Amino acid sequence: MQDHAREPEGLAGAFFDLRGAIEEPEALAVRLLQTVACELGLPLRVGIGPGKLVARLAAEEAGAARWRRVRPADVSGFLASLPLERLPHVGPKTAAA
């Protein structure tokens, strides 16, 4: 994973820019999950998306597979399936409006 641009997010998250990666994003996700489990024994979820927001939400929605990919063509449907409160800065009042 060191070949890809990394951007930490808080204590427990990071974004990787996979543009130009030779390996498919799904394969990288599985390899990352296996490496973290074997070497650190920590749980991990991976989200793959066309931008940081979608990737983060995909990770949160990963479920038992522990990874989820949202392709650019599927972003609208994916976001529409989520409660409005899942979006940053959207609280109950805004969602009710």
Side-chain angles (χ1 to χ4, degrees):
M1 302 300 298
Q2 64 271 15
D3 297 333
H4 307 289
R6 281 177 298 210
E7 181 181 333
E9 182 188 64
L11 296 174
F15 293 102
F16 292 87
D17 185 348
L18 300 178
R19 287 177 288 198
I22 296 171
E23 198 170 353
E24 285 296 315
E26 291 90 342
L28 285 167
V30 170
R31 190 160 51 93
L32 181 61
L33 288 164
Q34 291 171 342
T35 300
V36 169
C38 289
E39 294 184 14
L40 302 174
L42 296 173
L44 180 69
R45 289 179 298 176
V46 176
I48 304 166
K52 293 177 188 176
L53 173 64
V54 174
R56 182 174 55 82
L57 292 170
E60 292 172 5
E61 295 293 313
R66 300 183 302 150
W67 68 270
R68 180 169 181 176
R69 182 175 189 178
V70 178
R71 296 179 185 277
D74 300 327
V75 169
S76 294
F78 172 70
L79 293 176
S81 72
L82 300 175
L84 286 175
E85 292 88 348
R86 294 288 309 283
L87 299 176
H89 311 292
V90 177
K93 289 183 181 179
T94 303

